[in-house]
Amino acid sequence: MKQSSLFQAFGAVIKRDLLLAYRHRAELINPLAFFVMVITLFPLALGAEIALLKRIAPAIIWVAALLASLMSIDNLFRADYDDGSLELMVMTPHSLSILVLAKVTAHWFLSSVPLLFIAPLMGLMLHMDSNVIGILLLTLLLGMPVLSLIGGIAVALTLGLRKGGALLAILVLPLYVPILIFASGAVDAAMSGFPVSGHLSMMCAILFLAITLTPLPTAAALKMSLS
Amino acid sequence: MFMRFIYKFSSPPYFYSISGKMLPWLTALFFLLLGYGLYGGLVTAPADYQQGDSFRIIYVHVPAAWMSMFIYVVMAISGGIGLVWRIKLAEIVSISSASIGASFTFLALVTGSLWGKPMWGAWWVWDARLTSELVLLFLYLGVIGLYNGIEDKRTASRAVAILALVGVVNIPIIHYSVEWWNTLHQGATVTKLDKPSIHIDMLIPLLVMAGAFKVYYAIALLLRCRNELLEREPNGKWIDELLEKVK
């Protein structure tokens, strides 16, 4: 039997996940609908005062994105764990952390990229200026992959548990703090006309750190959950 | 030589007997340090020129805050050792540290808030250090929740070790992100390299109290580890031998 290269394996995992998602396309809407609904709750609770909404719009959008990511991250390994294909992935000769990276990439593409298209709309509804919306999109682009990568660790750790849901939130949310701070800091700075490159550089740094490091504990936790 | 000592020390029967011998000495040392530190801090140290007597809560607050971070690192390191070499005692040290560390973090938060009321005029201020201490408490709660969630305790220890290692990489990032986000706290008083901005009469009791807290941690850790050992191996042969001796 011919050995597939690591790169082929990476591509195969992504392709498989995208195909699986395409077969269940109705489920893709859920995180998006959740994102929109959470944002809708804020004007209802706070009142429709334009200045106030404009001021807190970046915070609302980022917290909603964070919760939407938290909601969808549970599916990252669940289906594969239930039907046993995760075990097969562990048994392949390829490094598990690379396959994990492929799965997270596919998950990011499915759960976060659609959000990037809805977020400007939400920004307009909250009266954000168009140049600030641009910065908001940039922070979402840089930050959402980190959320998926960090979330992957916690999902892998809680895989074997029956009631992992609430625990997942406790494990993940403290680790989301830096990205939330830098992202909303960048958008805040853009709103008051300050330069944002510092915040964005920090977010880039965190992103590359996360891409490099997080697959390792995720892979270790997966092996632990399966043994 | 060192590894031989580690192997010997980490065998449960040996650990159990030697920790039993260590406990009374540690307890005596703890009360000695605590007595001296409290007397020095509450009686002989001069009152602060600005904060008056209310600064004296520093003798509980600061050591507790130091311990909260120190214990997290101990937890991560011993968890890592348990993960790599599968030493059962390291796993037990790691998980036994978690709830002690969480208590110290909670203590630091409570005393910080008590101190904040007269100084900053509010029970809670979203100040950088207070907030990162709060996040640290959440990290501890996550560790404890994960350990309790997994049925098999060996697996649970490994999961906790992975989580603690992830946390220990994250703590500096969280700390500095929160620091840049907002700060109101007084600057570090002791760890300045050139000259501490604290009077020597105030500093010595503080360091003694920090020592007392460390010894207290050692006592609590040993007690918890002994309990955990007995609970994990209720039918161990060495426990039967211990019981024989007691009879």
Side-chain angles (χ1 to χ4, degrees):
Chain A
M1 203 175 75
K2 205 168 138 276
Q3 281 275 338
S4 56
S5 75
L6 190 58
F7 198 70
Q8 281 170 332
F10 187 84
V13 170
I14 290 190
K15 200 174 143 198
R16 168 179 173 274
D17 275 14
L18 294 185
L19 194 65
L20 273 176
Y22 180 70
R23 297 269 190 266
H24 302 128
R25 0 184 214 289
E27 286 173 18
L28 290 178
I29 300 297
N30 293 344
L32 275 184
F34 179 79
F35 177 68
V36 173
M37 278 172 200
V38 169
I39 291 177
T40 317
L41 290 179
F42 279 88
L44 294 177
L46 287 164
E49 192 193 327
I50 289 181
L52 176 68
L53 287 180
K54 199 172 168 176
R55 173 75 194 77
I56 60 172
I60 296 176
I61 292 180
W62 252 100
V63 170
L66 212 127
L67 293 177
S69 156
L70 181 67
M71 205 183 78
S72 65
I73 195 82
D74 197 34
N75 304 327
L76 183 57
F77 300 116
R78 177 69 58 194
D80 287 353
Y81 179 73
D82 287 342
D83 68 13
S85 40
L86 197 61
E87 272 176 59
L88 292 178
M89 271 182 226
V90 173
M91 282 193 286
T92 58
H94 300 297
S95 144
L96 184 59
S97 44
I98 297 295
L99 301 182
V100 161
L101 195 60
K103 281 200 74 68
V104 172
T105 312
H107 178 266
W108 165 77
F109 186 78
L110 293 168
S111 69
S112 305
V113 173
L115 229 98
L116 291 176
F117 290 97
I118 298 271
L121 202 64
M122 294 292 108
L124 279 180
M125 283 168 75
L126 296 171
H127 309 284
M128 285 170 79
D129 298 330
S130 53
N131 64 323
V132 179
I133 290 181
I135 299 295
L136 175 74
L137 280 183
L138 213 53
T139 59
L140 284 173
L141 189 66
L142 290 173
M144 295 294 284
V146 181
L147 302 187
S148 299
L149 285 164
I150 295 179
I153 304 174
V155 174
L157 283 172
T158 53
L159 207 51
L161 305 182
R162 262 180 295 115
K163 288 180 205 151
L167 188 59
L168 187 66
I170 297 176
L171 295 187
V172 157
L173 288 177
L175 303 177
Y176 281 177
V177 166
I179 215 70
L180 182 67
I181 288 177
F182 286 120
S184 48
V187 185
D188 256 353
M191 266 200 310
S192 3
F194 291 121
V196 294
S197 56
H199 293 278
L200 293 183
S201 309
M202 283 307 293
M203 289 188 75
C204 280
I206 294 180
L207 173 61
F208 287 115
L209 197 67
I211 290 178
T212 329
L213 291 183
T214 54
L216 302 172
T218 311
L222 279 181
K223 282 180 187 154
M224 182 213 76
S225 288
L226 287 172
S227 64
Chain B
M1 179 65 201
F2 180 67
M3 284 314 280
R4 273 236 321 264
F5 171 73
I6 294 287
Y7 281 131
K8 196 174 172 201
F9 189 71
S10 61
S11 88
Y14 185 76
F15 171 79
Y16 196 88
S17 76
I18 194 132
S19 63
K21 282 175 201 147
M22 277 158 73
L23 273 172
W25 293 101
L26 285 174
T27 315
L29 182 65
F30 168 65
F31 279 112
L32 203 71
L33 288 175
L34 185 76
Y36 179 78
L38 278 182
Y39 181 76
L42 299 183
V43 181
T44 57
D48 188 73
Y49 78 102
Q50 224 175 7
Q51 305 190 358
D53 275 333
S54 58
F55 94 97
R56 291 181 198 279
I57 200 169
I58 197 177
Y59 294 110
V60 182
H61 174 69
V62 169
W66 281 344
M67 287 313 289
S68 67
M69 286 174 259
F70 174 76
I71 294 177
Y72 200 94
V73 175
V74 170
M75 188 172 82
I77 291 176
S78 59
I81 292 174
L83 209 56
V84 175
W85 287 290
R86 301 283 156 88
I87 297 176
K88 199 184 284 171
L89 190 66
E91 290 170 359
I92 291 178
V93 165
S94 170
I95 190 57
S96 306
S97 296
S99 31
I100 309 173
S103 324
F104 273 121
T105 316
F106 186 69
L107 183 66
L109 280 172
V110 169
T111 51
S113 129
L114 285 176
W115 197 1
K117 181 65 184 167
M119 290 307 123
W120 298 331
W123 291 112
W124 181 263
V125 179
W126 288 97
D127 154 73
R129 290 217 210 154
L130 272 176
T131 311
S132 51
E133 197 75 359
L134 185 65
V135 174
L136 185 64
L137 181 64
F138 293 153
L139 287 174
Y140 273 121
L141 292 182
V143 165
I144 296 170
L146 185 63
Y147 184 75
N148 290 332
I150 301 178
E151 203 95 336
D152 175 43
K153 288 309 164 202
R154 282 310 290 267
T155 317
S157 311
R158 287 168 63 196
V160 160
I162 295 174
L163 184 66
L165 286 172
V166 171
V168 97
V169 173
N170 256 284
I171 281 177
I173 302 178
I174 294 176
H175 181 80
Y176 282 104
S177 63
V178 174
E179 192 97 345
W180 291 326
W181 165 70
N182 194 3
T183 196
L184 190 76
H185 215 92
Q186 62 192 45
T189 20
V190 180
T191 51
K192 278 190 199 163
L193 279 179
D194 42 350
K195 199 176 163 215
S197 58
I198 180 171
H199 192 270
I200 192 76
D201 285 347
M202 293 176 177
L203 180 62
I204 289 174
L206 182 59
L207 295 181
V208 172
M209 280 300 279
F213 273 50
K214 280 237 160 61
V215 177
Y216 175 77
Y217 165 57
I219 296 171
L221 183 65
L222 287 182
L223 284 173
R224 277 183 162 269
C225 286
R226 285 159 67 91
N227 258 345
E228 188 75 26
L229 268 181
L230 293 183
E231 252 177 44
R232 279 202 193 183
E233 311 185 332
N235 303 319
K237 215 169 139 199
W238 60 274
I239 298 180
D240 292 343
E241 284 166 12
L242 265 182
L243 285 177
E244 284 300 313
K245 267 186 223 162
V246 174
K247 277 175 201 164

